[in-house]
Amino acid sequence: MTVSHESGDAWSWLPFYTEYTIIEASDGTTLNDGKAASYRLWWIGMLVVYVIYYCTIVVTKPKVVCSGKKLKEAIAEHCPIFFECYWPTIWAFNNHLMTVLRARLQHSPKAQYKRHMLRLYDGGQLALDWLKVDRDDITLPVLVILPGLTGSSQDNYVRYLAKDGESQGFRPVVFNQRGNGGVEMLTPRTYNATNTEDLCEVISHVRSSYPDVPIVGLGVSLGAVLLTRYLAETGDKSELAGVMAISSLWDAVASSDGLEQFPSRQLYNWFLSRKMRNMVERNVPRILSKFQTLPYDINEILKGSVISDYDQSCTIKVFGYPNNTEYYEDVSN
């Protein structure tokens, strides 16, 4: 009787499937110890279960929420994809996995900007980064891009939005908030999700630069909240011909609570909070050279570890809210 170990068959690429045993009897017959077959059946079964779960649970149609039937019909006519099944990447359909892999694996597109520093009414400043478009036509409509909480024109997703906007015939410009994207803070004032004064100045500047073309806005997360709030405040007087709000908050209180939970706290909250603290810390020496007092305590800000700590020690004090709850409720209105 001969015993041999073999590997490398068609299933050897599978994890944990390395080798199996062939027993050759004296009469020439062979016996398989069953290890290969069991591994094969186990992985086939898991694959079938995974595909069934993906097709029946993961793949769904988006939920379209509208205030009236006419609006829903208009959306169906102009954006029919909203009423089709969404098929996410089969090996990375989890929202957290998508976010992490998107940040780590996807390359950054080349985007050349021309920066314009915009001085604001209170002496502060922000940066408008205009994408250098191939077709520099004065009639191109302008696309104003508002990144998320700590985003800037250099973030991958913002570059993709800018390049996509150019490919669709727009002249993209990225709104870099005070302190973000290499912008130096000249006053103690930061920014938040409810005050649209800086956005109004940006839109006014864009309108004066291009008086005869449509202006549209595209916001992500915090940027989306600011854009929708701007529309609510300006109504028919809005300078924007259209707006796309991506990942806008519905309930800031619930969103803040969710960011405190695992794994959002570890994946996003600490990272974003650190960026906000660093923004204030690196600008405080310059601000103190011009202002003797600040509306916040820098040491209190640096002690924080999550976004709610930053809002408690900085945001609500700059913008006059008594506590985080009232601020978050105002964001949701």
Side-chain angles (χ1 to χ4, degrees), residues 1 9 48 79 95 104 114 137 148 165 201 217 233 257 296 318:
M1 181 174 64
D9 72 351
V48 170
C79 303
N95 56 335
R104 296 297 182 184
K114 181 179 180 181
D137 187 342
E201 290 204 49
E233 292 174 351
D257 292 341
Y296 40 74
V318 173

Side-chain angles (χ1 to χ4, degrees), residues 40 61 94 201 238 276 279 289 304:
R40 182 177 300 144
K61 291 184 179 181
N94 176 268
E201 290 204 49
S238 169
M276 297 296 290
M279 176 194 71
S289 67

Side-chain angles (χ1 to χ4, degrees), residues 192-195 229 315-328 330-331:
N192 74 347
T194 61
N195 191 288
R229 195 174 189 91
T315 304
I316 65 172
K317 295 182 178 180
V318 173
F319 294 96
Y321 290 95
N323 52 60
N324 277 1
T325 300
E326 290 203 20
Y327 168 50
Y328 296 151
D330 193 18
V331 173

Side-chain angles (χ1 to χ4, degrees), residues 68-84:
K69 183 178 179 181
K70 290 185 178 180
L71 177 58
K72 190 170 185 177
E73 291 175 348
I75 294 175
E77 179 182 355
H78 297 285
C79 303
I81 194 172
F82 287 166
F83 298 87
E84 300 173 4

Side-chain angles (χ1 to χ4, degrees), residues 24 96 100 247 297:
E24 185 177 348
H96 300 299
V100 173
S247 299
D297 183 344

Side-chain angles (χ1 to χ4, degrees), residues 8-56:
D9 72 351
W11 296 89
S12 61
W13 60 274
L14 290 171
F16 308 117
Y17 182 76
T18 55
E19 61 180 22
Y20 53 92
T21 304
I22 297 295
I23 304 174
E24 185 177 348
S26 57
D27 61 357
T29 60
T30 59
L31 300 173
N32 191 310
D33 70 350
K35 184 187 295 184
S38 64
Y39 275 145
R40 182 177 300 144
L41 291 175
W42 188 85
W43 279 104
I44 290 176
M46 290 298 296
L47 181 60
V48 170
V49 171
Y50 185 88
V51 171
I52 292 175
Y53 173 79
Y54 175 81
C55 292
T56 58

Side-chain angles (χ1 to χ4, degrees), residues 23-238:
I23 304 174
E24 185 177 348
S26 57
D27 61 357
T29 60
T30 59
L31 300 173
N32 191 310
D33 70 350
K35 184 187 295 184
S38 64
Y39 275 145
R40 182 177 300 144
L41 291 175
W42 188 85
W43 279 104
I44 290 176
M46 290 298 296
L47 181 60
V48 170
V49 171
Y50 185 88
V51 171
I52 292 175
Y53 173 79
Y54 175 81
C55 292
T56 58
I57 305 299
V58 177
V59 177
T60 58
K61 291 184 179 181
K63 185 177 181 180
V64 180
V65 180
C66 301
S67 59
K69 183 178 179 181
K70 290 185 178 180
L71 177 58
K72 190 170 185 177
E73 291 175 348
I75 294 175
E77 179 182 355
H78 297 285
C79 303
I81 194 172
F82 287 166
F83 298 87
E84 300 173 4
C85 284
Y86 171 56
W87 296 77
T89 305
I90 191 169
W91 50 267
F93 57 78
N94 176 268
N95 56 335
H96 300 299
L97 188 58
M98 279 185 176
T99 303
V100 173
L101 291 180
R102 166 64 179 79
R104 296 297 182 184
L105 299 182
Q106 199 162 9
H107 73 283
S108 179
K110 293 182 179 179
Q112 292 185 329
Y113 299 103
K114 181 179 180 181
R115 172 157 291 191
H116 173 78
M117 300 303 300
L118 181 64
R119 280 299 185 102
L120 303 170
Y121 70 97
D122 67 338
Q125 65 177 1
L126 53 80
L128 295 177
D129 287 341
W130 294 86
L131 184 71
K132 294 182 179 180
V133 295
D134 294 333
R135 185 170 68 93
D136 193 4
D137 187 342
I138 193 67
T139 63
L140 291 178
V142 176
L143 172 64
V144 181
I145 300 174
L146 280 70
L149 180 63
T150 61
S152 73
S153 60
Q154 298 307 314
D155 288 314
N156 280 2
Y157 74 93
V158 177
R159 292 187 180 196
Y160 273 101
L161 290 173
K163 295 298 289 184
D164 287 346
E166 179 190 16
S167 69
Q168 295 298 318
F170 290 92
R171 184 190 304 277
V173 56
V174 182
F175 172 7
N176 297 280
Q177 296 272 14
R178 305 176 187 228
N180 285 348
V183 178
E184 295 181 347
M185 291 175 59
L186 302 182
T187 68
R189 177 170 171 152
T190 54
Y191 57 91
N192 74 347
T194 61
N195 191 288
T196 61
E197 291 173 337
D198 290 354
L199 176 58
C200 288
E201 290 204 49
V202 167
I203 294 174
S204 178
H205 172 79
V206 172
R207 171 53 68 209
S208 64
S209 301
Y210 295 92
D212 301 319
V213 303
I215 304 173
V216 297
L218 189 158
V220 180
S221 190
L222 175 77
V225 176
L226 286 172
L227 276 176
T228 54
R229 195 174 189 91
Y230 167 82
L231 291 180
E233 292 174 351
T234 56
D236 294 338
K237 297 180 180 179
S238 169

